[in-house]
Amino acid sequence: MVFKDYTFFSYVFSAVAVILLTGHAHGAGLCDNSPYKIVCESIVVFRTDPKNASIAACHKLIFETKNVRVAAQTPPVSAEFEVCIAAFDGAIANTKIALQGLQAGDYATLRTYLLAAKTNYLGCDDAFHNSGQTNPIAKSTKLLMDMASVGVDLAALIK
């Protein structure tokens, strides 16, 4: 009988430990105040250090921008898509500079160039808006802007 009580205690202890560690493993509160919490959590998964999370955010932003760029190159390519492709190239370049700034410990460069990447994505949306057309990749550019915003938010947490 006593053995069963200790077994029950070990199960309860294990369950509590798993719950606490799982919460810690999913970003240790890095995304708690983010207005883009779902996007943030998808980037931050299993990271507890804001710098490592920012590096992951930059890499993921570059990867996803390349994917959306490929979609924009699918024929027929319009003048608006040409603007988007150039904007995506600029966003990739800006994000790479942001990543270099991060690795050098220059967090102002990180924030500045991620904000510049966000402006690049807006340029794609503006091209369609100015021509009176609906942007067929608007959801993708919105996601990229949100990801860039998460990078900026994470940069503010680095100490």
Side-chain angles (χ1 to χ4, degrees), residues 65-87:
T65 302
K66 287 179 180 179
N67 287 340
V68 176
R69 186 184 186 286
V70 168
Q73 290 176 310
T74 305
V77 177
S78 65
E80 294 80 17
F81 275 125
E82 291 291 338
V83 170
C84 289
I85 291 166

Side-chain angles (χ1 to χ4, degrees), residues 5-149:
D5 291 340
Y6 285 117
T7 303
F8 175 75
F9 175 74
S10 68
Y11 288 138
V12 170
F13 178 79
S14 297
V16 169
V18 167
I19 290 168
L20 291 175
L21 291 175
T22 301
H24 181 72
H26 287 290
L30 293 177
C31 299
D32 287 350
N33 296 323
S34 176
Y36 313 99
K37 192 168 184 159
I38 294 172
V39 175
C40 183
E41 287 175 347
S42 73
I43 294 168
V44 172
V45 169
F46 302 116
R47 291 177 180 85
T48 56
D49 177 44
K51 185 174 181 180
N52 289 337
S54 295
I55 291 169
C58 288
H59 285 294
K60 187 161 183 155
L61 186 59
I62 291 168
F63 177 79
E64 292 299 332
T65 302
K66 287 179 180 179
N67 287 340
V68 176
R69 186 184 186 286
V70 168
Q73 290 176 310
T74 305
V77 177
S78 65
E80 294 80 17
F81 275 125
E82 291 291 338
V83 170
C84 289
I85 291 166
F88 297 150
D89 288 341
I92 291 168
N94 284 329
T95 306
K96 286 180 179 180
I97 294 169
L99 188 56
Q100 290 170 352
L102 172 63
Q103 291 169 338
D106 183 358
Y107 306 122
T109 296
L110 170 65
R111 287 187 294 275
T112 300
Y113 281 91
L114 285 177
L115 289 170
K118 192 173 173 180
T119 302
N120 289 118
Y121 302 130
L122 283 172
C124 177
D125 287 339
D126 288 345
F128 282 96
H129 178 74
N130 292 339
S131 68
Q133 296 181 24
T134 302
N135 183 353
I137 57 171
K139 287 183 181 179
S140 296
T141 56
K142 170 74 168 104
L143 175 63
L144 293 171
M145 284 189 280
D146 291 352
M147 289 174 66
S149 296

